[in-house]
């Protein structure tokens, strides 16, 4: 029997999922981020990956030499990145492996057929789309290179608005009071937080939705910017890859979307969203990595994909 290992190497976490060829989940592990651009370099990436794969191998009692693997890695952006990461992965000792950007496995994870549009809003932002014949990517390199999404970027807009209102440089907003109440500190003190030990971003994003729910105009304005950026990206993909399709699946993945207030999605749907079927997956992109590993060996069907997702939600999600 073949064994398939999917790896989702993100900025802040890396997940490992091992399945058999029938789609049964055998083992799962979670480690720290493995983007070589932010985790400390290629050797640190390799150390964390080896640690996770060792845990999977010990728990499953299956040697890593039997793993057919697929890696979706943050930081795999340019040709030089792929060359460097592939060279490192060749040292891991797997039966075989393939590599793509982590956004690509998220696209596969959010669909049963791999066709649709993916927009992520995790630590950063990655956008992919495929019509089954062509794969296209837009952005996903850095806010300095045009990205307008990502929880860190959105959170910085929220805290900036709060401080500017506090000192009189910006319009009044209740964001300051909500943030300070949630974090139990002055908003300016965020500058001294050790992000590795305590990440304030989830609470800042939560504050944004809470303020928007109370019709705070500054919060609503920030969410409007997010919705407009999603629309711009989606339309680029739709008009280039799906010009004749009446309904296109739009997968919104990442913690921002998974924890968004219903108000956000209502606003999104009301913003000229005819023709899009919005999907927010409750399973993680690592599922897509497993499915892609299977497809490399000619194994794959909607039923297997459904089983992997079902198994993941039953076994893995319960542990998290």
């Amino acid at each position: 029997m073949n064994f398939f290992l999917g790896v989702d190497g993100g900025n802040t976490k890396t997940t490992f999922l091992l399945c058999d060829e029938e789609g049964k989940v055998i083992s799962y592990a979670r480690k720290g981020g493995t983007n070589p651009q932010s985790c400390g370099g290629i050797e640190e990436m390799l150390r964390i990956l080896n640690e996770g794969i060792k845990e999977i191998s010990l728990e499953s009692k299956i040697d890593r030499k039997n793993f057919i693997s697929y890696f979706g890695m943050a930081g795999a952006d340019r040709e030089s990145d792929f060359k460097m990461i592939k060279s490192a992965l060749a040292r891991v000792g797997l039966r075989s492996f393939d590599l793509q950007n982590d956004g690509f496995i998220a696209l596969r994870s959010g669909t049963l057929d791999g066709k649709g549009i993916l927009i992520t809003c995790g630590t950063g932002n990655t956008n992919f789309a495929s019509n089954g014949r062509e794969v296209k990517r837009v952005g996903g390199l850095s806010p300095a290179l045009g990205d307008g999404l990502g929880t860190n970027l959105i959170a910085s807009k929220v805290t900036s608005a709060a401080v500017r209102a506090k000192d009189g440089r910006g319009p009044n907003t209740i964001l300051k009071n909500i943030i300070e109440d949630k974090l139990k500190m002055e908003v300016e003190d965020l500058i001294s937080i050790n992000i590795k030990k305590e990440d304030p971003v989830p609470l800042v994003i939560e504050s944004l939705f809470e303020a928007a729910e109370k019709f705070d105009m500054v919060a609503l304005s920030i969410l409007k910017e997010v919705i407009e950026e999603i629309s711009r990206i989606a339309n680029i993909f739709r008009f280039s890859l799906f010009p004749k399709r009446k309904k296109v699946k739009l997968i919104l993945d990442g913690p921002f979307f998974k924890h968004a207030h219903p108000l956000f999605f209502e606003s999104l749907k009301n913003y000229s969203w005819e023709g899009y079927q919005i999907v927010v997956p409750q399973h993680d992109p690592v599922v897509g990595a497993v499915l892609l590993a299977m497809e490399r060996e000619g194994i794959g069907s909607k039923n297997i994909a459904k089983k992997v997702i079902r198994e993941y939600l039953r076994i893995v999600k319960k542990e998290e």
Side-chain angles (χ1 to χ4, degrees):
M1 178 174 282
N2 291 315
F3 299 98
F4 300 94
L5 176 68
V7 181
D8 176 17
N11 288 293
T12 57
K13 69 173 182 177
T14 300
T15 51
F16 305 78
L17 188 67
L18 183 69
C19 294
D20 66 18
E21 60 192 30
E22 296 176 351
K24 180 182 178 182
V25 172
I26 299 172
S27 184
Y28 169 82
R30 177 173 168 171
K31 299 297 177 183
T34 47
N35 182 342
Q37 299 170 16
S38 59
C39 75
I42 202 75
E43 292 302 321
E44 180 62 11
M45 176 203 79
L46 201 55
R47 184 191 69 77
I48 297 170
L49 290 176
N50 270 312
E51 189 178 280
I53 293 168
K54 181 180 179 181
E55 183 175 321
I56 289 285
S57 184
L58 289 172
E59 183 178 309
S60 66
K61 297 182 174 58
I62 302 170
D63 193 290
R64 67 172 66 190
K65 292 178 182 178
N66 295 312
F67 294 164
I68 299 167
S69 309
Y70 201 103
F71 291 79
M73 301 295 294
D77 299 309
R78 301 161 299 171
E79 186 177 341
S80 58
D81 300 325
F82 278 91
K83 185 177 180 180
M84 178 177 63
I85 296 172
K86 278 187 175 180
S87 178
L89 292 179
R91 294 153 53 191
V92 174
L94 301 164
R95 175 175 158 185
S96 65
F97 72 89
D98 207 345
L99 167 70
Q100 249 296 354
N101 180 271
D102 59 337
F104 185 74
I105 66 168
L107 172 63
R108 185 63 186 84
S109 177
T111 63
L112 292 178
D113 58 5
K115 299 175 185 177
I117 297 168
L118 168 85
I119 296 176
T120 68
C121 196
T123 304
N125 163 233
T126 310
N127 315 293
F128 275 87
S130 174
N131 58 14
R133 301 180 303 277
E134 182 182 354
V135 177
K136 187 171 183 176
R137 178 180 179 178
V138 171
L141 296 174
S142 163
L145 297 175
D147 292 346
L149 297 175
T151 55
N152 286 357
L153 177 62
I154 296 169
S156 70
K157 291 181 179 181
V158 175
T159 53
S160 174
V163 172
R164 290 177 70 84
K166 187 174 181 179
D167 62 25
R169 286 179 293 162
N172 191 40
T173 174
I174 60 174
L175 282 168
K176 179 192 82 70
N177 294 336
I178 296 175
I179 292 170
E180 292 182 347
D181 182 61
K182 287 184 181 297
L183 294 177
K184 309 300 181 189
M185 64 172 66
E186 297 287 316
V187 66
E188 293 91 340
D189 292 337
L190 283 169
I191 200 169
S192 62
I193 280 186
N194 186 334
I195 299 296
K196 290 185 178 179
K197 293 182 178 179
E198 183 182 4
D199 184 6
V201 169
L203 287 177
V204 172
I205 298 297
E206 189 180 305
S207 301
L208 171 64
F209 289 123
E210 186 173 324
E213 188 181 10
K214 296 176 181 177
F215 302 104
D216 180 88
M217 294 305 296
V218 172
L220 289 170
S221 176
I222 293 172
L223 288 180
K224 181 174 179 287
E225 288 181 26
V226 172
I227 290 170
E228 288 174 342
E229 181 69 1
I230 293 170
S231 180
R232 279 189 287 267
I233 296 167
N235 285 337
I236 289 170
F237 288 133
R238 184 178 178 188
F239 296 132
S240 61
L241 296 181
F242 308 94
K244 297 180 180 179
R245 182 90 57 95
K246 290 183 178 180
K247 208 75 171 178
V248 180
K249 186 174 288 186
L250 174 62
I251 302 101
L252 302 178
D253 196 43
F256 182 88
F257 299 126
K258 286 180 180 177
H259 302 293
H261 191 277
L263 170 72
F264 174 78
F265 293 108
E266 285 302 313
S267 301
L268 188 61
K269 289 174 183 177
N270 290 332
Y271 190 81
S272 302
W273 282 85
E274 291 183 8
Y276 290 105
Q277 178 191 350
I278 298 174
V279 178
V280 182
Q282 294 308 303
H283 53 278
D284 285 343
V286 70
V287 168
V290 167
L291 297 178
L292 286 163
M294 288 180 170
E295 287 170 7
R296 288 184 72 241
E297 296 297 307
I299 299 172
S301 69
K302 287 187 177 182
N303 287 335
I304 288 179
K306 287 177 180 178
K307 183 174 181 179
V308 175
I309 293 170
R310 189 166 60 247
E311 286 259 313
Y312 175 89
L313 292 173
R314 181 177 66 84
I315 299 171
V316 177
K317 206 67 178 175
K318 189 183 296 184
E319 296 178 3
E320 291 185 332

